[in-house]
Amino acid sequence: MSNARWNEVVSMDKKELQVRNIDAFEKSSATLDNRIMKNTLAEQQKNLILSVILSLPLLWVMISRFAWMTNMYVPSFLLNPWVQFLLATPVQFWIGRSFYVGACQALRRGIANLDVLVVLSTTSAYVYSLVAMVKWTNQYSHMPGVYFETSALLITLVLIGKLLESLAKGQTSAAVKALMRLRPHSATIMRDGQPVNVTIEDVQVNDILLVQPKEQIPVDGTIVEGASFIDESMLTGEKSLVSKKSGDRVFGATINDKSSFYLRADRIGGQTVLSRMIKVVEEAQQSKAPIQRVADSVASVFVPIVVMIAIITFGLWYMVFQAGNLAAALEAGISVLVIACPCALGLATPASIMVGSGRAAEVGVLFKGGEFLESTHEVDTIVLDKRGTITKGLPTLTEVALEPNLDQIQSGLNAEMLLRWIGLAERSSAHPIAAAIVRGIEERGISLADDTITIEYLESYAGYGIRAVVDGHDLVIGTRRLLSQYHIGFSVAEPKLAALESTGRTAILAAVDGTYVGTLMVSDEVKETTASAIARLKQMGIEVVLMTGDHRRTANAIAHEVGIVHVLAEVHPDEKAEAIRTLQTEGHQVAMVGDVSNNGAALAASDIGISIGPSLDVAMDAGDVTIMREDLNSIADAIQISNKTMNNMKLNLFLALVYNTIAIPIAAFGLLEPWIVGAAMALSSISVVLNALRLQKAKW
């Protein structure tokens, strides 16, 4: 790198302190969360091991009571109720203390949850056994029927279920963990013109980094010298190389495939696209879908009903089925309480959301929350912006059609001077079409480095064009609507405009001092995958609409090329949101797809805003769903992921509710031992999580 270029790129102000503090906070928070999760798992494992050790002797005694195990050897001391009491008490009140804490907290909030059922069932068995044991001790009557093994085994089985659920939930976060593993650990920074290898934490904003072939790009930044091809599949899910040159943005964790280049660090640490992807996925996994509120409502009503059923069951057994047999009645009541534990119901939707959002991230689709993951599949109408969505968003100036009598319109005016005026005026605009015009004029050999020309006034009209006063001449450049607003006639150009616009090109008209002087034709190439993606959406039964500010002839030509029938043309950016609302009033569930620059209001007005664009960080802020790759097939992917996730949620809820509906009557009729019921309850939760994990292998 030359010394001049080096001085230019390192002279920028650094914002190291602020960004590094934010990054340090986020990193420490992530480390703390990870440590808490590991400590929680370790605590669960320790409690479970101790509970199993104390419960196994009780299980041995219980098995020996079965008719087919009468000859089984059991040490006589284990038959002593006091020994069983000493084994069961630590399980009940020390290992199982979390259930008591959770039950008290739930009851204070006026709700009943899994902990309430566990406490009711195990405490009932324990207290009954304790009373029977004390009575036996005082009277030395026949050996009492105690259920210490029931309370201890139930807590052990619930702990097994909770541990398996925690481990399964950890698996559902595999996508986030995979993204975290992509984070670079080192970088080659240029200091005093020499490359120095440093840790990623030492990189500061505006540092110049050297990226060699096959190396991971350390941070988000801009190429300041060199060019290469970049593998962005780890962010977008798209297995292809992207050409990058000086001035182009690149993203951390992607791979430099071909040539060395120098990179200016723009975003580091928690501000990179990868870090923000991780944050979006984590927030989506922690959020609740609307259907979860239904499950929560069902659970809040379900638990009190189950308690009532258990009380009724106990009463019927004690007074009717086996009158006066307190042990049999208690066993039936406990079985109902245990079998109805709604942990599977509580896991049904969160597990699906965690896996579904993670799977979506793997293919370059980010859902901002569970509600969007749930509702995206309901969309029946997709509205597509043209520039950068259907097309590549890289317009080029293809034709300049100026009036032949320019010198008669304005004395001394010629084609070169007019194009220089237009180029200087458009150079102030950030619009891609303006950039294409400036680039096209310079490519025609017309220099815009002219200090003798003065721009005295400049005004931009979003979606229409610009008006400028250049060297005392009033210059208007833009759409038909802008020229008409200034009462400038252009009918002489209509035949030629019609012919050019029918090929899909966009016409930019120009006028000097109130007189039409010519047209610049701009073309934006359609993406290679657009037509096939639109065909795929139509096969899914979704209506596709093209909405653009271009003239109807241009819009119709593009629509015909990609297979779209419904076209909304000549729609100003301020009118796009109203066009979305019109479709909604017609009964459509509408998704708007586009970048935020001209579609912010439309994205907000739609039922689902799907942002797409070359600036991934801006796109992630703009919509409800972000498409990480510029391929409209990702829209179909998003809809199908949403559909599969929703179906998975419904199946989970069905499994949980049907399980309880079938199991409660069986338990109430005394056909299941409480410890068997506990095992079945734990397995129901695991079945729900395993069903959710199927989404990790989902194909579409």
Coordinates of all heavy atoms in Angstrom, one line a residue, residues 164-212:
L164 N -33.3 -33.9 31.1 CA -33.3 -34.2 29.6 C -33.9 -33.1 28.8 O -33.5 -32.8 27.7 CB -34.2 -35.5 29.4 CG -33.6 -36.8 30.0 CD1 -34.6 -37.9 29.8 CD2 -32.3 -37.1 29.2
E165 N -34.9 -32.3 29.4 CA -35.4 -31.2 28.7 C -34.4 -30.1 28.5 O -34.2 -29.5 27.5 CB -36.6 -30.6 29.5 CG -37.9 -31.5 29.4 CD -38.9 -31.1 30.5 OE1 -38.7 -30.1 31.1 OE2 -39.8 -31.9 30.7
S166 N -33.6 -29.9 29.6 CA -32.5 -28.9 29.5 C -31.5 -29.2 28.5 O -31.0 -28.4 27.7 CB -31.8 -28.7 30.9 OG -32.7 -28.3 31.9
L167 N -31.1 -30.5 28.4 CA -30.1 -31.0 27.4 C -30.7 -30.9 26.0 O -30.0 -30.5 25.1 CB -29.7 -32.4 27.7 CG -28.9 -32.6 29.0 CD1 -28.8 -34.1 29.3 CD2 -27.6 -32.0 28.9
A168 N -32.0 -31.2 25.9 CA -32.7 -31.1 24.6 C -32.8 -29.7 24.1 O -32.5 -29.3 22.9 CB -34.0 -31.7 24.6
K169 N -33.1 -28.8 25.1 CA -33.1 -27.3 24.7 C -31.8 -26.8 24.3 O -31.7 -26.0 23.4 CB -33.6 -26.5 25.9 CG -35.1 -26.6 26.2 CD -35.5 -25.8 27.4 CE -37.0 -25.8 27.7 NZ -37.3 -25.0 28.9
G170 N -30.7 -27.4 24.9 CA -29.4 -27.0 24.5 C -29.1 -27.4 23.1 O -28.5 -26.6 22.3
Q171 N -29.7 -28.5 22.7 CA -29.5 -28.9 21.3 C -30.3 -28.0 20.3 O -29.8 -27.8 19.2 CB -30.0 -30.4 21.1 CG -29.1 -31.4 21.8 CD -29.6 -32.8 21.5 OE1 -30.1 -33.1 20.4 NE2 -29.5 -33.7 22.5
T172 N -31.4 -27.5 20.8 CA -32.2 -26.6 19.9 C -31.4 -25.3 19.6 O -31.8 -24.6 18.7 CB -33.6 -26.3 20.5 OG1 -33.4 -25.6 21.7 CG2 -34.3 -27.5 20.7
S173 N -30.5 -24.9 20.5 CA -29.7 -23.7 20.2 C -28.4 -24.0 19.4 O -27.5 -23.1 19.4 CB -29.3 -23.1 21.6 OG -30.4 -22.8 22.4
A174 N -28.4 -25.1 18.7 CA -27.2 -25.5 18.0 C -26.9 -24.4 16.9 O -25.7 -24.2 16.6 CB -27.4 -26.8 17.3
A175 N -27.9 -23.8 16.3 CA -27.7 -22.8 15.2 C -26.9 -21.6 15.8 O -26.0 -21.1 15.2 CB -29.0 -22.4 14.6
V176 N -27.4 -21.1 17.0 CA -26.7 -20.0 17.6 C -25.2 -20.4 18.0 O -24.3 -19.6 17.7 CB -27.5 -19.6 18.9 CG1 -26.7 -18.5 19.6 CG2 -28.8 -19.0 18.5
K177 N -25.1 -21.6 18.5 CA -23.7 -22.0 18.9 C -22.8 -22.1 17.6 O -21.6 -21.7 17.6 CB -23.8 -23.4 19.6 CG -24.4 -23.3 20.9 CD -24.6 -24.7 21.6 CE -25.3 -24.6 22.9 NZ -25.5 -25.9 23.5
A178 N -23.4 -22.6 16.5 CA -22.7 -22.7 15.3 C -22.3 -21.3 14.8 O -21.1 -21.1 14.3 CB -23.5 -23.4 14.2
L179 N -23.2 -20.3 14.9 CA -22.8 -18.9 14.5 C -21.7 -18.4 15.4 O -20.8 -17.7 14.9 CB -24.1 -18.1 14.6 CG -25.2 -18.3 13.5 CD1 -26.4 -17.4 13.9 CD2 -24.6 -17.9 12.2
M180 N -21.8 -18.7 16.7 CA -20.8 -18.2 17.6 C -19.4 -18.8 17.3 O -18.4 -18.1 17.4 CB -21.2 -18.5 19.0 CG -22.3 -17.7 19.6 SD -22.7 -18.1 21.3 CE -23.9 -16.9 21.7
R181 N -19.4 -20.0 16.8 CA -18.1 -20.7 16.5 C -17.5 -20.0 15.2 O -16.3 -20.2 15.0 CB -18.3 -22.1 16.2 CG -18.5 -23.0 17.5 CD -18.3 -24.4 17.3 NE -19.4 -25.0 16.4 CZ -20.5 -25.5 16.9 NH1 -20.7 -25.5 18.2 NH2 -21.4 -25.9 16.1
L182 N -18.3 -19.3 14.5 CA -17.8 -18.6 13.3 C -17.0 -17.4 13.6 O -16.2 -16.9 12.8 CB -18.9 -18.2 12.3 CG -19.7 -19.4 11.7 CD1 -20.9 -18.8 10.9 CD2 -18.8 -20.2 10.7
R183 N -17.1 -16.9 14.8 CA -16.5 -15.6 15.2 C -14.9 -15.8 15.0 O -14.3 -16.7 15.6 CB -16.8 -15.2 16.6 CG -18.2 -14.6 16.8 CD -18.5 -14.4 18.2 NE -19.7 -13.5 18.3 CZ -20.4 -13.3 19.4 NH1 -20.1 -14.1 20.5 NH2 -21.4 -12.5 19.5
P184 N -14.3 -14.8 14.3 CA -12.8 -14.9 14.2 C -12.2 -14.6 15.5 O -12.7 -14.0 16.4 CB -12.6 -13.7 13.2 CG -13.9 -13.4 12.5 CD -14.9 -13.7 13.5
H185 N -10.9 -15.1 15.6 CA -10.2 -14.9 16.8 C -9.0 -14.0 16.7 O -8.4 -13.5 17.7 CB -9.7 -16.3 17.4 CG -10.9 -17.2 17.6 ND1 -11.8 -17.0 18.7 CD2 -11.3 -18.3 17.0 CE1 -12.7 -18.0 18.7 NE2 -12.4 -18.8 17.7
S186 N -8.5 -13.8 15.5 CA -7.3 -13.0 15.2 C -7.4 -12.2 14.0 O -8.3 -12.5 13.1 CB -6.0 -13.9 15.2 OG -6.1 -14.8 14.1
A187 N -6.5 -11.3 13.8 CA -6.5 -10.4 12.6 C -5.1 -10.0 12.3 O -4.2 -9.9 13.2 CB -7.4 -9.2 12.8
T188 N -4.8 -9.6 11.1 CA -3.5 -9.0 10.7 C -3.7 -7.5 10.5 O -4.4 -7.1 9.5 CB -3.0 -9.7 9.4 OG1 -2.8 -11.1 9.7 CG2 -1.6 -9.1 9.1
I189 N -3.2 -6.7 11.4 CA -3.4 -5.3 11.4 C -2.2 -4.6 10.8 O -1.0 -5.1 11.1 CB -3.8 -4.8 12.8 CG1 -4.2 -3.3 12.7 CG2 -2.6 -4.9 13.7 CD1 -4.8 -2.8 14.1
M190 N -2.3 -3.5 10.1 CA -1.2 -2.8 9.5 C -0.8 -1.7 10.5 O -1.6 -0.8 10.9 CB -1.6 -2.2 8.2 CG -1.9 -3.2 7.1 SD -0.6 -4.4 6.8 CE 0.6 -3.3 6.1
R191 N 0.4 -1.7 11.0 CA 0.9 -0.7 11.9 C 2.3 -0.2 11.4 O 3.2 -0.9 11.2 CB 1.1 -1.2 13.3 CG -0.3 -1.5 14.0 CD -0.1 -2.0 15.4 NE -1.4 -2.1 16.1 CZ -1.7 -2.8 17.2 NH1 -0.6 -3.5 17.8 NH2 -2.9 -2.9 17.7
D192 N 2.3 1.1 11.1 CA 3.5 1.8 10.6 C 3.9 1.1 9.3 O 5.1 0.9 9.0 CB 4.7 1.7 11.5 CG 4.3 2.5 12.8 OD1 3.6 3.5 12.7 OD2 4.8 2.1 13.9
G193 N 2.8 0.6 8.5 CA 3.1 0.0 7.2 C 3.5 -1.4 7.3 O 3.8 -2.0 6.2
Q194 N 3.5 -2.0 8.5 CA 3.9 -3.4 8.6 C 2.8 -4.3 9.2 O 2.0 -3.8 10.1 CB 5.1 -3.5 9.6 CG 6.4 -2.8 9.1 CD 6.9 -3.4 7.7 OE1 6.9 -4.6 7.5 NE2 7.3 -2.5 6.8
P195 N 2.6 -5.5 8.7 CA 1.5 -6.4 9.2 C 1.9 -6.9 10.5 O 3.0 -7.4 10.8 CB 1.4 -7.5 8.1 CG 2.8 -7.5 7.5 CD 3.3 -6.1 7.5
V196 N 0.9 -6.9 11.5 CA 1.1 -7.4 12.8 C -0.1 -8.3 13.2 O -1.2 -7.8 13.0 CB 1.3 -6.3 13.9 CG1 1.4 -6.8 15.3 CG2 2.4 -5.4 13.5
N197 N 0.2 -9.5 13.6 CA -0.9 -10.4 14.0 C -1.4 -10.0 15.5 O -0.6 -10.0 16.4 CB -0.5 -11.8 14.0 CG -1.7 -12.8 14.1 OD1 -1.9 -13.3 15.2 ND2 -2.3 -13.0 13.0
V198 N -2.7 -9.8 15.6 CA -3.3 -9.4 16.9 C -4.5 -10.2 17.1 O -5.1 -10.8 16.2 CB -3.6 -7.9 17.0 CG1 -2.4 -7.1 16.8 CG2 -4.7 -7.5 15.9
T199 N -5.0 -10.2 18.4 CA -6.3 -10.9 18.7 C -7.4 -10.0 18.2 O -7.2 -8.8 18.0 CB -6.4 -11.1 20.2 OG1 -6.5 -9.8 20.9 CG2 -5.3 -11.9 20.7
I200 N -8.6 -10.6 18.0 CA -9.7 -9.8 17.4 C -10.1 -8.7 18.4 O -10.6 -7.6 17.9 CB -10.9 -10.8 17.1 CG1 -11.9 -10.1 16.2 CG2 -11.6 -11.2 18.4 CD1 -11.4 -9.9 14.8
E201 N -9.9 -8.8 19.7 CA -10.3 -7.8 20.7 C -9.4 -6.5 20.5 O -9.8 -5.5 20.9 CB -10.1 -8.3 22.1 CG -11.2 -9.4 22.5 CD -10.9 -10.7 22.0 OE1 -9.7 -10.9 21.4 OE2 -11.7 -11.6 22.0
D202 N -8.2 -6.7 19.9 CA -7.3 -5.5 19.7 C -7.6 -4.7 18.5 O -7.1 -3.6 18.3 CB -5.9 -6.0 19.6 CG -5.4 -6.6 20.9 OD1 -5.8 -6.1 22.0 OD2 -4.6 -7.5 20.9
V203 N -8.5 -5.1 17.6 CA -8.9 -4.4 16.4 C -9.8 -3.2 16.8 O -10.7 -3.3 17.6 CB -9.6 -5.3 15.4 CG1 -10.0 -4.5 14.2 CG2 -8.7 -6.5 15.0
Q204 N -9.5 -2.0 16.2 CA -10.2 -0.8 16.5 C -10.9 -0.3 15.2 O -10.4 -0.7 14.1 CB -9.3 0.3 17.1 CG -8.5 -0.2 18.3 CD -7.5 0.8 18.7 OE1 -7.4 1.9 18.2 NE2 -6.6 0.5 19.7
V205 N -11.9 0.4 15.4 CA -12.6 1.0 14.2 C -11.6 1.9 13.5 O -10.8 2.6 14.0 CB -13.8 1.9 14.7 CG1 -14.4 2.7 13.5 CG2 -14.9 1.0 15.3
N206 N -11.7 1.8 12.1 CA -10.8 2.5 11.2 C -9.4 1.9 11.1 O -8.6 2.4 10.3 CB -10.7 4.0 11.5 CG -12.0 4.7 11.2 OD1 -12.8 4.3 10.3 ND2 -12.4 5.7 12.0
D207 N -9.1 0.8 11.8 CA -7.8 0.1 11.6 C -7.8 -0.4 10.2 O -8.8 -0.8 9.6 CB -7.6 -1.0 12.6 CG -7.0 -0.5 13.9 OD1 -6.4 0.6 13.9 OD2 -7.1 -1.3 14.9
I208 N -6.6 -0.5 9.6 CA -6.4 -1.2 8.3 C -5.9 -2.6 8.5 O -4.9 -2.8 9.2 CB -5.4 -0.3 7.4 CG1 -5.9 1.1 7.3 CG2 -5.3 -1.0 6.0 CD1 -7.3 1.2 6.7
L209 N -6.6 -3.5 7.9 CA -6.3 -4.9 8.1 C -5.9 -5.5 6.8 O -6.4 -5.2 5.7 CB -7.5 -5.7 8.7 CG -8.2 -5.1 9.9 CD1 -9.4 -6.0 10.3 CD2 -7.2 -5.0 11.0
L210 N -5.0 -6.5 6.8 CA -4.6 -7.2 5.6 C -5.3 -8.6 5.7 O -5.1 -9.3 6.7 CB -3.1 -7.4 5.6 CG -2.5 -8.4 4.5 CD1 -2.8 -7.8 3.1 CD2 -1.0 -8.6 4.7
V211 N -6.0 -9.0 4.6 CA -6.7 -10.2 4.6 C -6.1 -11.1 3.4 O -6.2 -10.7 2.3 CB -8.2 -10.1 4.4 CG1 -8.9 -11.4 4.4 CG2 -8.8 -9.1 5.4
Q212 N -5.5 -12.2 3.8 CA -4.8 -13.1 2.8 C -5.8 -14.1 2.2 O -6.9 -14.3 2.8 CB -3.7 -13.8 3.5 CG -2.6 -12.9 4.1 CD -1.6 -12.4 3.0 OE1 -1.8 -12.6 1.8 NE2 -0.6 -11.8 3.5

